[in-house]
């Protein structure tokens, strides 16, 4: 499963030598190399746009494999035009956010369909070619997809083509035992894809693959969708909030009064005097 970031706001704001056409050329060459490695290999491509995501290529559905490139480019062009038409009424500052949670859910649904459709038990994996910044509002949906992939033993590989690291994909690759990579030179994207992500899961144990230097485990609060270092957690549904609330907005549980350090100090002194 290959998830391609087609967010038009991101590609219009990127200031590197990697244009969208060059990016697609490198991806096509990588997909061809995957299909040539083994005749049983299957590739499914999902486009991740700003407002929508959709399947644009399935190697198992093609009767004429010589037309796989033309089929992918045609469906990709149709998807990009449709996604851009939905964005015309939106005013977005900067690169915006792509619908990563939706594409991850679609990839996992397709994998479950393959698991239940035949006697063979493949070893699937998901590769996210992502460049847009993390969307804090998608935190819950993305984490649910990550834990679903972990339970199904589906690694999520991440290749970051944007300027910033993705905290969501760092956690996804770490939790699912996948590979997280941010290439230093985007001109050699095809070399990175073939040398790092083309190897099967069995061969990875024999190779020295990139390991994450640090993983950002910060969560996004449910109230303002901001990334926080410290916050309040509901003990019933584990919802995260940046400030104290009287009631959980997710499950409706009533919270107690927040205790500050100043209010707890007299109680500690009183307890100490009683013990003495």
């Amino acid at each position: 499963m290959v998830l391609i970031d087609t967010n038009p706001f991101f590609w219009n704001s990127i200031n590197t030598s990697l244009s969208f056409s060059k990016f697609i050329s490198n991806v096509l060459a990588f997909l061809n190399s995957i299909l040539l490695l083994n005749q049983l290999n299957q590739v499914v491509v999902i486009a991740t746009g700003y407002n929508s995501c959709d399947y644009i290529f399935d190697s198992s559905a093609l009767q004429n494999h010589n037309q796989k490139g033309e089929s992918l480019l045609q469906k990709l062009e149709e998807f990009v035009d449709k996604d851009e038409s939905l964005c015309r009424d939106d005013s977005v500052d900067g690169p915006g956010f792509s619908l990563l949670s939706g594409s991850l859910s679609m990839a996992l649904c397709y994998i479950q369909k393959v698991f239940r459709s035949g006697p063979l038990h493949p070893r699937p994996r998901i590769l996210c070619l992502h460049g847009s910044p993390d969307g804090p509002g998608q935190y819950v949906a993305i984490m649910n997809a990550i834990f679903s992939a972990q339970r199904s033993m589906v690694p999520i590989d991440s290749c970051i083509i944007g300027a910033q690291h993705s905290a969501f994909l760092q956690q996804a690759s770490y939790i699912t035992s996948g590979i997280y990579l941010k290439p230093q030179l985007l001109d050699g994207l095809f070399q990175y894809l073939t040398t790092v992500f083309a190897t099967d899961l069995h061969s990875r144990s024999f190779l020295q693959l990139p390991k994450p230097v640090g993983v950002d485990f910060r969560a996004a609060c449910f109230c303002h969708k901001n990334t926080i270092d410290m916050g309040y957690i509901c003990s019933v549904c584990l919802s995260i909030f940046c400030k104290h609330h009287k009631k959980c907005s997710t499950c409706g549980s009533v919270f107690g009064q927040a205790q500050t350090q100043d209010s707890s100090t007299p109680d500690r002194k009183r307890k100490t005097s009683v013990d003495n």
Side-chain angles (χ1 to χ4, degrees):
M1 308 296 301
V2 181
L3 279 53
I4 301 178
D5 191 354
T6 62
N7 180 8
F9 301 107
F10 164 72
W11 288 106
N12 291 333
S13 63
I14 190 171
N15 296 322
T16 62
S17 58
L18 183 67
S19 61
F20 185 69
S21 60
K22 291 182 179 179
F23 168 71
I24 295 299
S25 299
N26 291 329
V27 172
L28 282 175
F30 169 69
L31 297 181
N32 288 329
S33 64
I34 291 292
L35 295 175
L36 288 173
L37 285 175
N38 194 325
Q39 62 179 356
L40 297 178
N41 284 351
Q42 178 183 350
V43 174
V44 179
V45 181
I46 299 177
T48 308
Y50 178 79
N51 285 295
S52 60
C53 49
D54 196 6
Y55 301 99
I56 61 173
F57 178 74
D58 188 349
S59 61
S60 63
L62 291 178
Q63 297 179 355
N64 187 1
H65 293 279
N66 295 327
Q67 297 180 354
K68 54 182 177 292
E70 292 80 359
S71 176
L72 190 150
L73 292 176
Q74 180 181 359
K75 291 186 178 180
L76 178 62
E77 184 178 359
E78 295 175 356
F79 174 81
V80 171
D81 293 340
K82 179 181 177 181
D83 190 59
E84 287 183 347
S85 63
L86 297 174
C87 301
R88 291 174 182 174
D89 298 333
D90 298 335
S91 58
V92 180
D93 297 332
F97 311 119
S98 61
L99 197 59
L100 179 61
S101 59
S103 58
L104 282 175
S105 301
M106 293 179 66
L108 291 171
C109 290
Y110 188 95
I111 290 173
Q112 291 299 322
K113 177 183 177 182
V114 173
F115 280 159
R116 302 175 185 181
S117 60
L120 295 179
H121 189 76
R123 303 190 65 185
R125 45 186 168 148
I126 300 174
L127 172 60
C128 299
L129 299 174
H130 197 69
S132 302
D134 293 333
Q138 305 179 49
Y139 172 76
V140 178
I142 290 178
M143 293 305 298
N144 289 336
I146 292 174
F147 293 132
S148 298
Q150 181 191 32
R151 184 174 182 180
S152 301
M153 294 183 292
V154 178
I156 299 178
D157 299 332
S158 307
C159 182
I160 306 301
I161 55 179
Q164 300 177 353
H165 285 276
S166 173
F168 292 167
L169 289 178
Q170 281 182 342
Q171 297 181 41
S173 299
Y174 180 83
I175 293 174
T176 61
S177 300
I179 302 173
Y180 178 89
L181 177 67
K182 188 178 183 303
Q184 297 180 356
L185 299 175
L186 293 178
D187 292 337
L189 180 61
F190 173 71
Q191 286 80 357
Y192 284 106
L193 294 176
T194 52
T195 56
V196 178
F197 300 105
T199 54
D200 57 271
L201 299 181
H202 175 72
S203 303
R204 288 185 177 184
S205 58
F206 304 99
L207 300 176
Q208 293 292 336
L209 297 174
K211 297 182 179 180
V213 178
V215 181
D216 188 357
F217 287 106
R218 291 183 300 172
C221 65
F222 286 30
C223 46
H224 301 91
K225 311 301 181 184
N226 296 326
T227 303
I228 59 175
D229 297 320
M230 298 182 63
Y232 297 87
I233 301 179
C234 175
S235 59
V236 178
C237 65
L238 301 181
S239 298
I240 304 172
F241 304 97
C242 59
K243 296 181 180 180
H244 180 266
H245 295 268
K246 297 181 179 179
K247 187 177 182 180
C248 178
S249 59
T250 304
C251 65
S253 300
V254 179
F255 297 149
Q257 185 66 28
Q259 294 183 357
T260 60
Q261 185 176 1
D262 296 337
S263 61
S264 61
T265 302
D267 296 337
R268 189 181 298 109
K269 290 182 178 179
R270 188 182 301 109
K271 183 178 180 181
T272 304
S273 60
V274 171
D275 294 340
N276 292 335

